[in-house]
Amino acid sequence: ATATAATTTTTTADPQEGSVLIDTQHEDLVHDVQCDWYGQKMATCSSDRTIKICSLNGGSYEVSATLQGHSGPVWQVSWAHPQFGVVLASCGFDGSVLIHGEVRPREWTILHAAHQLHSSSVNGVCFAPPEFGLQCAAASSDGRVSVLRHEPETQVWSVEYLEDCPMGVNAVSWAPAGAYYDASSSANQETPRLVTAGCDNGLRFWQCNTSTGEWTQQNVPQCDTATTSAIQHQHKDWVRDVAWAPSLVPNHNRIASCSEDGQVLIWTQAKDDPTSSSSSSSSWTATLVHQFDEPVWRVSWSATGHVLAVSSGDATVTLWKEGLVDGTWIRMDEDQAAAAAAVDATSSGETKEDGTTMLPLSPPGPPPTAAVSEPMPTTTTATTVTGDVSSTAPAPPPPKLAAPPPPPVM
């Protein structure tokens, strides 16, 4: 079954301002916002248990659909690559992960409903690079990470659980395809890898055996910030988010992490010996981007990996770029950020994820067709916009709780 969106008003912003202020029409706190690959659709999720889809066109926007299905606050959303159609994953406090799809313009349905996938809140969800197929990973407060994969032969979704951090997992991110390049063999070039952020103040790495489909945790003690004393900078509180940077140089990987302790760290792993095949187990070194006075909630890379967006508890979003001389990370002013956004969109042909705060006014290209490239089963129906909804001003993130909770609290 499908649902049709109601008509909403369209508001136009001044293109000279360089950004668009959007009324999401949510009735409660907004916890996440993500633009699709073409920058023409934006998804937001809220404690009001709904997901809003905004259509972006130049300096104007329109709330075109409201998706429902969660029985509690929705913490995060993630867009799949457009080669799979218009597909969106969501996760929430109810322990569920829902896969939504736009079957026709403004008509959305739930392609797969993984209700009670976890025994506790699902705090983060992230689709894999398209080279690994249509699959997404979800991080939960029950200490596990689930990997949902669509099997095109059987048209069903399989799930595998990874026993991660017993205290709870707050976020998950995929390594880009080809992050570990071995010129002598192609066996490991397309191996799925994950990094997770836990409530034990550390990061964990996972690798999938493409032959058996089994996930194993990699032994990378340099990234266990809870116990390693050899690293100058380490997180001293829960790691709230982690983001693997796009891979522009083979075997040179970067990961950004942020924490309740106010630190934003950049983890760098470089393969010293180009002839060696053990780059995935090479050590990681940490660089402090900035020490904030408030907890830091989210980090997001630009499409080319040159700019890092940081969302912090002082109600600000800042952009950071690495200096050319000494590698020190420098905060960009508004003019520099606008210039970097223009260069980034031009060079990549895609809208970067930090469009959550600065939306380009000229999307780089047309969106994909709405149909999913491979037919998938429909299990549940998503509902639609209900009409005029009163909006609320953005609120700061809630305080940390005593037990491993979802990132925000109602």
Side-chain angles (χ1 to χ4, degrees):
T2 58
T4 304
T7 303
T8 59
T9 58
T10 301
T11 302
T12 302
D14 183 0
Q16 300 299 324
E17 295 180 359
S19 62
V20 180
L21 181 63
I22 295 177
D23 175 12
T24 64
Q25 299 185 4
H26 281 295
E27 297 179 309
D28 209 329
L29 299 178
V30 176
H31 299 294
D32 192 26
V33 53
Q34 296 288 336
C35 288
D36 70 354
W37 289 73
Y38 290 90
Q40 294 195 342
K41 292 183 186 296
M42 185 185 73
T44 61
C45 60
S46 167
S47 283
D48 65 8
R49 307 181 182 184
T50 69
I51 300 160
K52 300 285 187 179
I53 305 296
C54 287
S55 298
L56 307 174
N57 183 16
S60 65
Y61 75 93
E62 180 182 10
V63 179
S64 58
T66 297
L67 312 182
Q68 296 181 353
H70 286 281
S71 59
V74 187
W75 301 133
Q76 195 170 33
V77 291
S78 176
W79 292 95
H81 191 274
Q83 77 177 54
F84 302 110
V86 185
V87 180
L88 180 75
S90 62
C91 66
F93 183 75
D94 58 3
S96 303
V97 172
L98 304 182
I99 309 296
H100 313 263
E102 187 179 39
V103 292
R104 282 180 292 274
R106 298 171 176 265
E107 294 186 12
W108 288 77
T109 186
I110 296 182
L111 303 174
H112 179 68
H115 290 299
Q116 298 180 340
L117 182 66
H118 289 269
S119 60
S120 189
S121 171
V122 180
N123 305 320
V125 65
C126 183
F127 269 109
E131 293 82 355
F132 304 143
L134 184 57
Q135 58 179 326
C136 68
S140 173
S141 292
D142 65 9
R144 298 183 298 171
V145 174
S146 58
V147 179
L148 283 164
R149 179 179 178 85
H150 178 249
E151 307 292 347
E153 296 83 5
T154 59
Q155 296 297 312
V156 298
W157 289 80
S158 61
V159 60
E160 183 171 356
Y161 291 96
L162 317 180
E163 297 294 334
D164 196 86
C165 174
M167 297 178 62
V169 189
N170 292 320
V172 61
S173 180
W174 293 82
Y180 296 100
Y181 178 78
D182 185 359
S184 62
S185 173
S186 61
N188 295 324
Q189 293 181 20
E190 301 299 331
T191 301
R193 290 180 171 87
L194 291 170
V195 60
T196 63
C199 293
D200 61 352
N201 312 345
L203 308 179
R204 285 176 171 81
F205 289 78
W206 295 84
Q207 181 175 350
C208 180
N209 186 318
T210 53
S211 300
T212 64
E214 181 181 358
W215 286 86
T216 56
Q217 186 175 336
Q218 292 181 276
N219 183 20
V220 188
Q222 289 82 358
C223 274
D224 186 358
T225 58
T227 59
T228 302
S229 59
I231 295 180
Q232 181 179 1
H233 302 295
Q234 26 182 320
H235 288 303
K236 303 175 180 63
D237 210 329
W238 293 353
V239 184
R240 281 298 189 179
D241 197 16
V242 61
W244 205 309
S247 182
L248 301 180
V249 179
N251 302 313
H252 186 86
N253 290 283
R254 277 182 173 176
I255 291 173
S257 63
C258 63
S259 171
E260 287 269 355
D261 61 12
Q263 288 189 111
V264 175
L265 300 180
I266 300 295
W267 303 86
T268 304
Q269 181 193 48
K271 185 176 178 181
D272 299 329
D273 183 5
T275 63
S276 171
S277 60
S278 61
S279 61
S280 61
S281 61
S282 301
S283 62
W284 293 78
T285 56
T287 300
L288 179 65
V289 175
H290 186 69
Q291 175 67 61
F292 289 83
D293 295 330
E294 300 289 339
V296 184
W297 300 98
R298 291 283 171 86
V299 287
S300 178
W301 291 99
S302 64
T304 59
H306 292 146
V307 180
L308 180 70
V310 178
S311 173
S312 51
D314 55 1
T316 61
V317 175
T318 53
L319 301 181
W320 300 79
K321 189 171 184 179
E322 186 179 20
L324 299 177
V325 179
D326 57 359
T328 302
W329 286 78
I330 304 170
R331 177 174 175 174
M332 304 171 65
D333 58 31
E334 293 184 2
D335 293 337
Q336 291 173 323
V343 172
D344 208 55
T346 301
S347 61
S348 66
E350 299 171 350
T351 299
K352 60 184 185 301
E353 283 191 89
D354 45 51
T356 55
T357 57
M358 186 75 76
L359 301 178
L361 297 179
S362 299
T369 57
V372 178
S373 58
E374 297 173 346
M376 289 182 286
T378 298
T379 57
T380 316
T381 303
T383 57
T384 61
V385 171
T386 56
D388 295 334
V389 181
S390 60
S391 61
T392 57
K400 167 184 169 183
L401 300 182
V409 179
M410 292 188 298

